[in-house]
Amino acid sequence: QSAHAKLGDVRQEVRKERKDLFMERKSELASKAAQMRENFKDRREAFKEKLSEMKDKRKEKIVENVDDKIDALNKRHTTRMGEVLERLNDVLVRLDAKVATAGAEGKDVASASAAIATAKTAVSTAQTAVSDQSAKDYAPVITDEETLGAVVSKAFQDFRTDIQAVHKLVVDAKQAVRSAAVIVLQLK
């Protein structure tokens, strides 16, 4: 085999390995998220029960709408962030292949490998956070109708705080991948 063909084989092997690891991690996180959703079912049922006991049906409808809106926003944001992380992982796969090629050509790839490892860690951390966030439930714990506004407001504020923290992790992962890409491009 020629040197060029060997580099192609190394590149394909690295891509396949990284993709397999990503898919394995993704399935682990999906099962963990499903388990967390199952744990939140009791809390959700208690919320629905308390909601049906309310005397003011207008308040009941408003609280139900806010709860549905929080769930929809959480699903939309976590889906979008998950897609971003998948694209970042694809970039890391390509960067890994370029580093493997450069290493096979005898270039010094230590700094690039370290940057890619840092980026992989950042993406993995963000994936875990997104998975955990997607499984969270923000059903307000209703005690009585007088404190209803404060309880619903707190549930929404908790959601905003959590989603902002997860978004920051995704942005950090994106910046780590960008930094790794810059270092890999300097290998040429």
Side-chain angles (χ1 to χ4, degrees):
Q1 260 187 353
S2 69
H4 185 68
K6 287 181 184 177
L7 290 177
D9 291 344
V10 168
R11 195 177 268 182
Q12 288 294 352
E13 185 179 316
V14 168
R15 280 185 180 164
K16 184 179 180 333
E17 191 176 299
R18 181 71 180 139
K19 196 70 163 173
D20 290 345
L21 284 172
F22 178 75
M23 296 311 275
E24 182 180 313
R25 176 104 171 113
K26 187 176 178 181
S27 66
E28 282 177 21
L29 292 176
S31 66
K32 183 180 174 187
Q35 185 180 19
M36 287 178 72
R37 274 190 222 101
E38 190 67 35
N39 293 343
F40 283 121
K41 266 189 178 173
D42 294 337
R43 186 172 160 193
R44 167 81 38 203
E45 289 172 9
F47 165 71
K48 293 289 185 184
E49 187 178 310
K50 279 285 194 181
L51 198 58
S52 65
E53 293 173 2
M54 290 179 63
K55 293 178 182 135
D56 190 346
K57 294 302 175 190
R58 186 180 65 82
K59 284 183 183 179
E60 177 184 339
K61 188 67 178 164
I62 291 170
V63 171
E64 196 171 325
N65 287 342
V66 169
D67 182 54
D68 291 344
K69 184 176 181 176
I70 291 172
D71 287 344
L73 285 170
N74 192 36
K75 181 176 172 79
R76 187 174 79 211
H77 287 302
T78 55
T79 300
R80 182 177 45 84
M81 287 183 218
E83 291 167 355
V84 167
L85 291 171
E86 282 186 37
R87 285 193 304 269
L88 290 176
N89 189 61
D90 289 342
V91 170
L92 283 174
V93 168
R94 290 194 305 272
L95 292 176
D96 256 347
K98 286 182 181 187
V99 167
T101 303
E105 291 173 353
K107 295 181 180 176
D108 181 23
V109 294
S111 63
S113 295
I116 288 174
T118 302
K120 285 178 184 177
T121 302
V123 169
S124 178
T125 302
Q127 282 176 326
T128 303
V130 167
S131 176
D132 290 349
Q133 178 63 35
S134 70
K136 284 187 179 179
D137 184 36
Y138 292 93
V141 180
I142 301 171
T143 53
D144 57 22
E145 287 189 45
E146 287 75 38
T147 61
L148 188 62
V151 169
V152 171
S153 178
K154 182 179 178 338
F156 196 79
Q157 188 59 42
D158 290 347
F159 163 71
R160 285 189 58 185
T161 303
D162 290 350
I163 205 76
Q164 286 171 347
V166 172
H167 180 261
K168 183 179 179 342
L169 289 173
V170 172
V171 169
D172 292 347
K174 183 178 178 181
Q175 289 172 342
V177 170
R178 184 183 183 288
S179 297
V182 167
I183 291 171
V184 169
L185 287 175
Q186 292 172 352
L187 290 176
K188 292 186 179 187

